[in-house]
Amino acid sequence: MAFSSPSLCSVAILTLSCILLLLMGRSDAQLSTNFYSKTCPNVYATIKSQVQSAINKEARMGASLLRLFFHDCFVNGCDGSILLDDTSTFTGEKTAAPNQNSVRGFDVVDNIKSAVENVCPGVVSCADLLAITARDSVVILGGPSWNVKLGRRDARTASRAAANNGIPPPTSNLNNLISFFQNVGLSTRDMVALSGSHTIGQARCTNFRARIYNETNLDPSFAQTRKANCPRTAGSGDNNLAPLDLQTPTAFDNNYHKNLLQNRGLLHSDQQLFNGGSTDSLVRTYASSPSTFSSDFTAAMIKMGDIKPLTGSNGEIRKNCRKIN
Ligand code: HEM
Ligand SMILES: *[C@@H]1O[C@H](CO)[C@@H](O)[C@H](O)[C@H]1NC(C)=O
């Protein structure tokens, strides 16, 4: 806010405005969908074209970008902490167990950030960039759209321990999954809807080996297909990839939930959502009603994006998503 002519503003009004601004900065300011409408109206078009070209190059990238937002939000809130590189004096989240050799897309995020900095330098946070990027990825892959709430600022810290403890592992059972989401204020319904993200993307053999060789709640022909590229012996073929949704791994649809009905969940944690427990009926609902899945998924994405954002004068607008200013 600029007071171009002090003569027009009494000192009293100036002082009041300053106090108001300070209060706004300190109270838990809300995110809003029009946060950049004045300061960076082109942010959406700029990000979307970058996401589109990244997905044109590699369809899987849409999945990887969506996952980055999830792994950011579940660790001390949606604050861009996952993007910080390790240095000799700083340990970030990239080497946490759920992330190492697994999360990807950081170069694409760099490209998006440069493009955004070109149109509005120093305005858009890396945390908001991830939120918009996740939405655009889902839309480009054929999924539902939603209005992204914005106004997050970037963390000046990160926590490997919080990433290790806060992101659910694929060995989780249903109760574990429910509590991981509950810990960040998300309901069981949110959890089942958000898990529908596994309708896109890939997983490494090391994360589903025990399931395909040792579990009985899976379709035998599905297990056989997956064994072909995931050797039984630990350490061999650990990084071999398989699609989380065997039919359409680059289309955002409700096949994830349909697969669960046929015991074709790739991860142990996936099949937990349809294994005779309390979430079976919701999985059936999403499998039979794409529109219910879409509306619950978008609502849950907005809720996830609301986890503990830094706002007002907290945090910073990083210039480079990989390091604090
Ligand atoms: C419910 C608990 C969840 C567990 C246990 C879980 C676990 C995993 C695992 C183990 C992988 C494969 C990683 C690898 O093998 O390198 C994966 C991939 C993925 N996850 Fe999840 N996830 C969960 C929820 C979510 C949520 C809520 C989202 C998004 C909102 C999400 C989005 C993705 C995507 C898109 C991929 C594929 C990434 C790629 O291909 O690069 N997941 N997840
Ligand atoms: C299957 O279970 C057995 C017994 O618990 C275990 O020794 C073996 O390592 C498991 N195999 C895989 C591939 O996880």
Side-chain angles (χ1 to χ4, degrees):
M1 190 172 294
F3 298 97
S4 51
S5 166
S7 63
L8 291 178
C9 277
S10 76
V11 174
I13 289 174
L14 247 174
T15 310
L16 274 174
S17 308
C18 287
I19 291 170
L20 201 77
L21 279 173
L22 269 174
L23 282 176
M24 282 166 61
R26 287 207 278 143
S27 68
D28 37 15
Q30 297 283 304
L31 304 180
S32 68
T33 54
N34 62 356
F35 191 79
Y36 297 114
S37 60
K38 296 264 160 53
T39 52
C40 194
N42 291 328
V43 65
Y44 296 116
T46 306
I47 292 181
K48 183 144 197 183
S49 79
Q50 291 291 322
V51 176
Q52 181 73 62
S53 62
I55 292 177
N56 290 349
K57 263 186 217 136
E58 187 203 12
R60 182 189 174 194
M61 190 50 70
S64 306
L65 294 170
L66 171 59
R67 187 168 182 234
L68 274 183
F69 184 54
F70 163 50
H71 283 206
D72 185 31
C73 292
F74 265 57
V75 183
N76 292 324
C78 314
D79 60 0
S81 56
I82 192 174
L83 302 175
L84 292 171
D85 279 344
D86 281 19
T87 70
S88 54
T89 55
F90 180 90
T91 304
E93 294 164 16
K94 291 182 177 181
T95 55
N99 292 335
Q100 188 154 39
N101 297 320
S102 185
V103 285
R104 57 202 291 282
F106 297 113
D107 295 342
V108 171
V109 170
D110 290 341
N111 292 341
I112 300 172
K113 178 64 169 172
S114 313
V116 170
E117 287 297 297
N118 278 339
V119 292
C120 350
V123 171
V124 179
S125 66
C126 298
D128 279 348
L129 182 155
L130 285 183
I132 300 172
T133 296
R135 187 270 313 269
D136 290 350
S137 296
V138 169
V139 171
I140 290 168
L141 296 178
S145 191
W146 62 95
N147 293 324
V148 179
K149 289 165 74 176
L150 300 167
R152 302 170 189 82
R153 292 167 64 85
D154 297 322
R156 296 175 52 80
T157 57
S159 172
R160 180 161 64 184
N164 278 323
N165 296 326
I167 298 169
T171 48
S172 307
N173 65 29
L174 182 58
N175 286 334
N176 302 146
L177 293 172
I178 290 171
S179 12
F180 273 101
F181 280 69
Q182 202 170 52
N183 288 344
V184 294
L186 297 176
S187 67
T188 301
R189 195 174 180 99
D190 295 327
M191 188 272 287
V192 177
L194 289 172
S195 295
S197 297
H198 288 182
T199 182
I200 54 175
Q202 307 275 324
R204 291 170 301 143
C205 168
T206 186
N207 281 322
F208 59 82
R209 175 183 284 122
R211 168 155 172 76
I212 60 174
Y213 285 101
N214 269 351
E215 296 185 0
T216 52
N217 61 345
L218 88 170
D219 168 24
S221 83
F222 174 68
Q224 203 179 343
T225 305
R226 288 295 155 250
K227 284 175 185 173
N229 195 36
C230 180
R232 180 190 293 270
T233 316
S236 101
D238 281 4
N239 294 322
N240 294 358
L241 295 172
L244 285 155
D245 165 11
L246 73 162
Q247 290 105 349
T248 56
T250 61
F252 196 100
D253 51 28
N254 67 339
N255 273 347
Y256 171 78
H257 296 100
K258 288 185 182 169
N259 288 333
L260 296 183
L261 299 187
Q262 302 184 69
N263 284 335
R264 289 171 172 179
L266 182 61
L267 306 175
H268 170 81
S269 51
D270 288 330
Q271 200 59 54
Q272 284 293 297
L273 305 189
F274 189 80
N275 194 39
S278 61
T279 51
D280 280 18
S281 63
L282 193 50
V283 171
R284 278 203 192 86
T285 300
Y286 293 153
S288 64
S289 171
S291 65
T292 308
F293 169 53
S294 287
S295 57
D296 282 6
F297 177 79
T298 55
M301 283 297 289
I302 293 167
K303 258 176 97 174
M304 184 169 85
D306 272 337
I307 301 172
K308 280 173 53 186
L310 295 170
T311 55
S313 55
N314 294 316
E316 63 182 19
I317 305 297
R318 247 177 252 154
K319 291 188 174 68
N320 174 340
C321 293
R322 292 178 181 271
K323 51 184 191 193
I324 58 179
N325 290 342

